[in-house]
Amino acid sequence: MKIEQIKTIVLTGLVLLSIVLFWKIVTFQQNYGFARDNQEYVNEVNIDMKKDIKELVYPMKVVYRVDDDVYKGTQNMEDITKIVNELHKWEFYSFQNSTDEFNYKFRDIADNQVMIFQYPGDIPFSLTKSIFNVTVESQEIPEQAVFNQIFIFRSDVINDDGVVYFATSDLRSVIKARVKHNYLEDFQKVMDEFENKGYDYIALSNNIGKYIYVQNEEMKLPIFQFHTQKLSYDLFKEALFPDPNFVKQEGNSFTDGTSLLKFNVVTDSFTYVNTSIPENTEENISDMISTSVQYINSHSGWTDSYYYSNAFQKPNKVVFQLYLKNYPVANDHSRMELEIGDNKVHSYKRPFVEYVSFASENITIESGEKIIEKLNTDNIKFDDLAIFYSYGPKKVMQPSWFYKQNNSWRKYSDETTRRE
C-alpha cells in the first residue's frame, strides 16, 4: 500500500473521530443546559418525605365563639390538625360572594356560635382544590381572591348540607361555599368537645375590622433541651445541582459556575442560589406556593414538621415555618424560604438539621391579657399575639409570647414564664 493511501485512510479516520467527538460535546452541552434550566429534571435523591399541599396548609389558631364574650381556642397543632382533617372529608361546592350575609351573622348576632380557623398568611382560592375536596370546575372558583380565615357557624351544620365562609383578615371580602357530608351534623360534637378542652380566649378588634384572638389563661408547656442531627452536605449537593459531577467544593461552599450552595455551620442552615433564574418577576401567589412545594418534594425535603406560613410578592417569597412540640419556632434559621422567578426557584434557604428533644420540664406561660397590658403600657402596637418556641442558652427551647408587627414576629422581652 502506498504511503499516500495510508495518509488518506488515517486522515479520514481522524476526521470521522473529530465529528463523533464534536457531536458528543454538542449533545452533552444541550443535555446539561436542559438539566440546568429545567428544574423538573432532578436527581433522584430522597432526603426525607414528600408532602401534598393539604398536609402543609393548616391554621395557626382555632377559636370557638361560644357566646358574646366567651371564646375557647388553641394553638396546639396536634389539636388543630384533628379538627381540620374533619373538613377534609367534606365536599365543597357553589362558591359565591357573601360579605353582607356573613357580617350580619358574625357582627350583628354577637352570640351566634361559630368556629374560626385563622391562618398565618393569605391563601389563594385557586389552591382550595389542593387543600379541600372541591367538586366544582376550576373556573367556578374565584381564583383572584385570597382568604385568611374560615368561619363555620354552628347553625349551618345541622344536617348533611351546610355552609362555610372564607374571609380575608379584615373581613371585607367573604366568600360562601356549600358543603356536603353524610354526617355533617357530627361536627357539632367536635365543637362541644373543643368548648370543653380549649383554653379561654379573648377577642380584640381594631379600627379596620380585624380581630385578634389571644389565649387568656395560664398554661403549662414543656421547656426542653435538644440536639440536632446534621444531614449530609452531599445529599443536598446531589439533590440541588443538575449534574453533581460538575460541582466544585471550596470549604462549605459548592458551585457549578451557575448555582451556589453555601452551608453555615453556626446557624445549621444553607442558602442555595441559581443565578440563571431571575428575581422578582411577575408571579401569582398560587403558582409560587405550588412551585415551592413541588421543588421541595423533588428531593423529598420535608424534614421535621413544617407548615405554610406566608407568601409575599416582590420579593417573591414563600415561607414554611418549623414546629416543635406542636408550636411554631421563632428563629430566622427555623424556616424554609424560597424565592421564585419565572415560576422557578431562584433561591432556597433552610436548616440542614433534624431536631431531637430530650430532658423536658414544664413551665407556666402567663395569660395573654397580662401581655396585652404590658404591650399597651410600653406603647407597642401589634397585629397579633401568639406563643412560639425560641432558642435559649445551652440548647434549650423555651416557649414565650411573641407579638406580630409588620409581618414579623418579635419576642416580648419581659419575663413571661415561670418554672414549675
Side-chain angles (χ1 to χ4, degrees):
M1 183 178 291
K2 295 181 179 181
I3 295 177
E4 288 76 9
Q5 290 176 317
I6 295 173
K7 289 181 178 179
T8 300
I9 292 171
V10 171
L11 183 60
T12 302
L14 290 173
V15 170
L16 291 173
L17 179 61
S18 299
I19 292 171
V20 170
L21 290 174
F22 176 76
W23 177 253
K24 286 184 175 291
I25 290 170
V26 168
T27 53
F28 169 79
Q29 288 176 336
Q30 289 175 341
N31 289 336
Y32 179 74
F34 171 81
R36 181 192 63 209
D37 297 333
N38 187 351
Q39 292 188 340
E40 294 178 359
Y41 182 90
V42 293
N43 300 298
E44 188 60 35
V45 177
N46 295 316
I47 292 172
D48 198 336
M49 295 176 61
K50 291 179 169 67
K51 288 190 176 183
D52 296 327
I53 289 178
K54 69 186 298 182
E55 299 176 87
L56 300 165
V57 179
Y58 280 90
M60 186 177 184
K61 298 178 186 178
V62 173
V63 178
Y64 182 39
R65 185 174 74 180
V66 182
D67 207 337
D68 185 5
D69 290 319
V70 181
Y71 294 83
K72 295 289 184 175
T74 188
Q75 254 192 268
N76 185 293
M77 187 55 75
E78 183 178 5
D79 296 334
I80 289 173
T81 53
K82 288 178 182 177
I83 299 171
V84 175
N85 288 344
E86 291 296 314
L87 275 61
H88 289 163
K89 302 174 185 176
W90 299 356
E91 178 183 333
F92 290 72
Y93 67 101
S94 184
F95 293 82
Q96 56 184 300
N97 193 298
S98 192
T99 304
D100 292 339
E101 176 184 297
F102 168 81
N103 277 300
Y104 170 74
K105 294 171 73 170
F106 182 69
R107 298 183 192 272
D108 296 348
I109 310 176
D111 59 352
N112 204 353
Q113 294 181 323
V114 58
M115 184 162 275
I116 305 158
F117 301 80
Q118 193 174 62
Y119 289 83
D122 287 341
I123 301 167
F125 256 95
S126 52
L127 287 183
T128 52
K129 295 194 79 168
S130 300
I131 302 170
F132 301 108
N133 178 24
V134 177
T135 59
V136 300
E137 297 297 326
S138 295
Q139 60 266 28
E140 297 180 53
I141 299 173
E143 296 201 1
Q144 300 304 314
V146 298
F147 68 92
N148 180 268
Q149 301 176 89
I150 293 176
F151 293 78
I152 303 175
F153 291 92
R154 188 183 184 95
S155 57
D156 287 334
V157 287
I158 58 176
N159 51 46
D160 294 348
D161 198 331
V163 172
V164 169
Y165 295 91
F166 295 84
T168 54
S169 59
D170 59 7
L171 306 183
R172 292 182 180 180
S173 176
V174 183
I175 291 172
K176 176 173 71 174
R178 307 292 304 184
V179 290
K180 288 193 296 188
H181 189 260
N182 289 338
Y183 304 101
L184 190 63
E185 69 274 10
D186 286 352
F187 196 72
Q188 293 192 5
K189 297 177 183 177
V190 174
M191 293 176 165
D192 292 337
E193 183 178 350
F194 191 81
E195 180 182 349
N196 293 327
K197 292 185 177 181
Y199 290 97
D200 290 340
Y201 265 58
I202 56 174
L204 309 174
S205 62
N206 59 21
N207 56 6
I208 63 170
K210 181 179 178 181
Y211 285 79
I212 300 171
Y213 303 99
V214 181
Q215 184 172 308
N216 195 35
E217 67 172 289
E218 291 184 346
M219 70 177 302
K220 293 180 175 61
L221 281 178
I223 178 174
F224 58 92
Q225 290 181 297
F226 69 94
H227 67 84
T228 55
Q229 295 178 338
K230 286 182 168 59
L231 299 170
S232 166
Y233 287 5
D234 286 337
L235 270 177
F236 289 102
K237 182 191 78 172
E238 296 286 333
L240 301 180
F241 289 98
D243 192 337
N245 294 320
F246 282 81
V247 174
K248 295 181 180 180
Q249 179 177 0
E250 185 176 334
N252 294 323
S253 298
F254 299 79
T255 184
D256 63 355
T258 300
S259 301
L260 174 66
L261 172 62
K262 188 172 184 178
F263 291 86
N264 188 323
V265 295
V266 176
T267 61
D268 289 337
S269 63
F270 72 70
T271 300
Y272 172 78
V273 179
N274 187 339
T275 60
S276 70
I277 296 172
E279 300 178 72
N280 298 328
T281 54
E282 292 294 330
E283 308 287 338
N284 67 66
I285 290 178
S286 178
D287 289 343
M288 286 167 52
I289 295 171
S290 297
T291 296
S292 299
V293 173
Q294 290 167 8
Y295 184 81
I296 298 172
N297 278 341
S298 72
H299 51 271
S300 300
W302 297 106
T303 57
D304 290 310
S305 295
Y306 286 87
Y307 295 94
Y308 169 71
S309 176
N310 213 339
F312 308 93
Q313 291 175 304
K314 296 201 174 175
N316 302 328
K317 182 187 294 186
V318 180
V319 181
F320 298 93
Q321 183 74 51
L322 173 67
Y323 274 62
L324 293 176
K325 300 288 187 181
N326 293 305
Y327 283 82
V329 178
N331 180 277
D332 288 341
H333 310 292
S334 63
R335 298 189 295 264
M336 295 187 190
E337 296 184 359
L338 300 94
E339 292 189 13
I340 310 299
D342 280 351
N343 206 28
K344 297 176 183 178
V345 174
H346 167 75
S347 71
Y348 178 34
K349 301 176 183 179
R350 60 163 295 163
F352 62 91
V353 296
E354 294 180 301
Y355 290 84
V356 180
S357 63
F358 62 96
S360 64
E361 62 174 305
N362 284 338
I363 60 173
T364 298
I365 308 293
E366 276 189 308
S367 73
E369 188 173 35
K370 291 183 179 179
I371 303 303
I372 291 170
E373 291 173 358
K374 295 174 182 178
L375 288 169
N376 289 337
T377 299
D378 295 340
N379 198 29
I380 297 175
K381 306 297 182 182
F382 60 96
D383 301 317
D384 201 356
L385 198 61
I387 297 170
F388 281 74
Y389 275 104
S390 60
Y391 295 141
K394 299 180 180 179
K395 285 203 168 184
V396 168
M397 284 283 186
Q398 180 167 323
S400 306
W401 280 105
F402 279 68
Y403 62 94
K404 190 175 184 180
Q405 194 177 73
N406 299 325
N407 281 321
S408 295
W409 288 96
R410 307 169 189 272
K411 184 177 180 180
Y412 183 64
S413 58
D414 192 19
E415 184 62 42
T416 59
T417 62
R418 66 171 184 269
R419 293 178 183 270
E420 291 299 296

